[in-house]
Amino acid sequence: MSDFYLWPGFLGTRATFGPDIALVLVLISAVMFTIGWQLAVHKRYDIHRWVQTSAATINALAVLAIMVGSFWGFVLPALSTKWGQTVTTITTIHAAIGTVTFLLGVFVVMRANKLVPKAWRFRNYKLFMRTSYSLYMLTTFIGLVVYVITYILPV
């Protein structure tokens, strides 16, 4: 496992650097997704697309650079022996929902930027974007619960 996961955190909890930076990046993404949603409501579609694409990129960095490695290195190896423990169960649920959310979000952003084949281009933007946004907020909430249980609540 990389030393990156062992560097001291900066948010004043028991977390190391990885979880702290992931939390900050995900919360920035959540704010940006919400701003982007409001831009779409006000029919500012060009800037909406840029804000959403930027938020998805920041989120992808957090997921791919920190969360996947953390789950793969710390949770997955102990899954069979620790399943049923609150933090392991919630973390695994978070990872499962997060995987679906991540894939849908990347697809929506790629579609918005015309980076998918014509046959895959959906026309009902509102359905896909609202679903993606709702799942992202649900995943973010569950991730906050994981962070609080793991690094803030007493052991």
Side-chain angles (χ1 to χ4, degrees):
M1 192 53 36
S2 171
D3 290 339
F4 175 79
Y5 293 102
L6 303 177
W7 295 350
F10 55 88
L11 294 178
T13 67
R14 291 189 313 272
T16 57
F17 183 80
D20 279 359
I21 195 71
L23 177 66
V24 169
L25 292 174
V26 165
L27 292 176
I28 289 169
S29 296
V31 169
M32 290 176 70
F33 280 131
T34 303
I35 290 168
W37 163 51
Q38 285 300 304
L39 288 166
V41 166
H42 295 289
K43 300 186 186 328
R44 308 243 353 245
Y45 299 120
D46 285 338
I47 192 157
H48 158 78
R49 182 170 50 88
W50 284 105
V51 170
Q52 301 304 72
T53 300
S54 299
T57 302
I58 291 167
N59 181 66
L61 288 171
V63 169
L64 298 175
I66 301 164
M67 292 182 200
V68 170
S70 181
F71 186 80
W72 195 267
F74 296 108
V75 179
L76 202 55
L79 195 57
S80 63
T81 59
K82 292 189 176 184
W83 183 257
Q85 292 182 5
T86 303
V87 71
T88 302
T89 304
I90 294 174
T91 301
T92 304
I93 290 167
H94 170 64
I97 295 171
T99 299
V100 171
T101 302
F102 178 79
L103 293 173
L104 176 61
V106 168
F107 177 73
V108 169
V109 167
M110 289 179 66
R111 167 56 182 106
N113 288 288
K114 298 179 181 166
L115 298 173
V116 297
K118 274 193 173 189
W120 293 8
R121 293 186 186 169
F122 55 83
R123 287 176 179 47
N124 190 348
Y125 281 102
K126 285 185 181 180
L127 173 65
F128 280 89
M129 287 188 281
R130 287 176 179 169
T131 301
S132 183
Y133 177 79
S134 298
L135 284 172
Y136 184 82
M137 290 304 163
L138 173 64
T139 305
T140 300
F141 175 75
I142 297 170
L144 283 171
V145 170
V146 169
Y147 187 92
V148 168
I149 289 171
T150 306
Y151 304 114
I152 296 175
L153 293 179
V155 181

